[in-house]
Amino acid sequence: MVRIHAGTSFNRHRLNANDSICGRKLGGNYMTQFLPFISALGRVLCHLEPCGGVDVDQAVKSAKSAFARWSKTSGMERARVMIEAARIIESKREEIAQMEVVNNGKSITEARLDVDSARLCIEYYAGMASTLAGQHVQLPGGSFAYTRREPLGVCVGIGAWNYPFQIAAWKSAPALACGNSMVFKPSPVTPVTAVLLAEIYAQAGAPRGLFNVVQGGQETGSLLCHHQDVAKVSFTGSVPTGKKIMEMASKGVKPVTLELGGKSPLLIFQDSDLENALRGALMANFLSQGQVCSNGTRVFVQKDILPEFLEEVVKRTRSIEIGDPLLESTRMGALVNRPHLDKVLSCVDQAKKEGATVLCGGEPFVPSDPKLRGGYYMTPCVLGECTDEMTCVKEEIFGPVMSVLSFETEEEVLHRANDTTMGLAAGVFTRDVRRAHRVAERLKAGFCFINNYNITPVEVPFGGFKMSGIGRENGQVTIEYYSQLKTVFVEMGQVDSLF
């Protein structure tokens, strides 16, 4: 049973007791007639009541109470709880993955990898929890100073709908390792699996209230950002919403971590291993139905190999298996909801009007299985004859649409690749080692791939330049974003006063 406990996974998330997801009953002491949660497969699975001011205040108070206890524990104690949470995730891998499929619409193969990433992230920061330390500085006359790395307090995490379970773990793991508590708001489009993570932390022995889940949309997020007892906000989502969150947090001078959108370039030089470049281009565009912020959707291919690249990439795109995301053979599931599907399809139409050629896909797709015909499917699309001025090249589509452009020289393509307000990711395929590092140095992006794409190990930092965000997820550096440094000066002699 998914039971919602105040102080762990906050009680104002209401679910319809008569519904189940993947055979798992959701029931409990619930209310009805609230916002319907419609899965990517077009089914109403439960109803949500958005959390208002009283609800948010109660959740924050619960987290504040847990923080008072958790922040006093040793790193080893925190690590034990987190390692147990990772163990539970591993034991429930298939169950969580199936829930994520219905929650989001992605294929079961990808959902399993997301669950693995969440587990690895928690394990990684569990290992770091006992290593947090300050510095000793010797000063004249025997005096000295030392620094302490201390937790911030109640942190707020606001998640996106493309990686619901993984993002909840990516935000909570470093926060908890540093001694903070967290109130997490998943996207109202994908509300389910963050609740599972709350259950898992509770089962692992986390104090009541350490990781809270509140449900709701923009109003709930605003209440969290403005709450006087919230110390930090971490958000993953769109650039416009990130700007609003930064503005709200600034009123309380609260630090923010923002992982925002991207319109990332993928540069394929004529000396590339073409097989790897093709694989990389597909990975850079069609993971999670193209709903990935780091996707390399501007694919720049050097002129001499463009015909061969287009022929093969279109052939492989057409062969992508679309359908039931719970089947092992499926490689592309449904987009997250009807409005988003309509938006992506309209972007393809706009590209055609502006002169791009649809080489394949870009159309609604109706699966043969009658049970799936309400789902939000489309065929993956490759656009040819694209130019830098086209809307499909300039603006983030966030769907399975690859825009292919031609280039001739390294200098030219670098200028074009960097001609964007965003800078989340970038990629380069080449056999020339010197060129690879030279290009990576000049690409204005926070995460650069050489001869691969969309690989995000939890050990390395992930985040963007320019309007793609502030701060980093994962890696050692993230500890700095969930802690604060205190300096203590110790005088061992007499005060040397001027008065």
Side-chain angles (χ1 to χ4, degrees), residues 186-206:
S187 166
V189 178
T190 52
V192 176
T193 49
V195 175
L196 298 186
L197 184 60
E199 286 187 325
I200 288 165
Y201 279 132
Q203 292 169 23

Side-chain angles (χ1 to χ4, degrees), residues 238-449:
S238 70
V239 173
T241 304
K243 289 180 178 180
K244 292 177 183 177
I245 285 175
M246 192 172 184
E247 181 181 357
M248 288 186 286
S250 71
K251 290 178 169 60
V253 198
K254 298 171 185 176
V256 295
T257 299
L258 302 175
E259 198 270 277
L260 307 178
K263 192 63 183 175
S264 302
L266 175 59
L267 282 51
I268 300 176
F269 288 89
Q270 64 187 19
D271 68 339
S272 302
D273 179 325
L274 189 59
E275 174 63 25
N276 271 335
L278 286 160
R279 292 178 181 180
L282 294 169
M283 287 289 288
N285 281 271
F286 299 136
L287 278 179
S288 294
Q289 298 76 252
Q291 300 166 145
V292 183
C293 52
S294 59
N295 269 1
T297 54
R298 293 185 293 147
V299 181
F300 294 90
V301 183
Q302 203 155 21
K303 186 176 180 180
D304 289 350
I305 61 168
L306 181 62
E308 184 180 3
F309 174 87
L310 286 175
E311 180 182 0
E312 191 61 29
V313 83
V314 167
K315 176 182 173 183
R316 297 188 189 200
T317 300
R318 283 179 173 150
S319 70
I320 293 173
E321 187 75 22
I322 312 169
D324 186 347
L326 287 170
L327 293 179
E328 299 286 343
S329 60
T330 298
R331 285 298 173 265
M332 184 168 289
L335 274 69
V336 73
N337 57 28
R338 169 62 64 183
H340 188 63
L341 172 62
D342 291 342
K343 171 184 174 291
V344 175
L345 292 173
S346 71
C347 289
V348 176
D349 289 338
Q350 180 66 25
K352 288 191 287 187
K353 291 176 184 177
E354 294 180 9
T357 301
V358 178
L359 301 177
C360 66
E363 299 174 336
F365 178 81
V366 180
S368 57
D369 187 340
K371 293 181 293 185
L372 302 175
R373 289 181 181 173
Y376 312 118
Y377 292 92
M378 70 173 285
T379 52
C381 178
V382 177
L383 298 174
E385 298 185 58
C386 295
T387 62
D388 296 341
E389 296 76 26
M390 291 179 178
T391 305
C392 64
V393 175
K394 295 176 72 69
E395 297 182 7
E396 186 174 33
I397 297 175
F398 220 64
V401 181
M402 178 193 299
S403 299
V404 182
L405 305 97
S406 175
F407 76 92
E408 294 189 11
T409 69
E410 179 182 318
E411 191 67 28
E412 166 213 339
V413 76
L414 279 167
H415 174 76
R416 294 167 63 194
N418 288 329
D419 186 19
T420 172
T421 60
M422 292 180 277
L424 184 54
V428 53
F429 277 82
T430 178
R431 285 191 175 97
D432 186 331
V433 175
R434 289 178 298 178
R435 169 187 281 157
H437 293 289
R438 184 172 65 240
V439 168
E441 179 185 359
R442 294 185 61 188
L443 286 167
K444 292 181 172 63
F447 200 122
C448 294
F449 300 91

Side-chain angles (χ1 to χ4, degrees), residues 68-84:
R69 288 170 285 158
W70 184 251
S71 61
K72 300 299 182 185
T73 60
S74 70
M76 289 294 287
E77 291 173 288
R78 296 173 202 161
R80 277 195 289 271
V81 172
M82 295 176 70
I83 289 170
E84 177 62 12

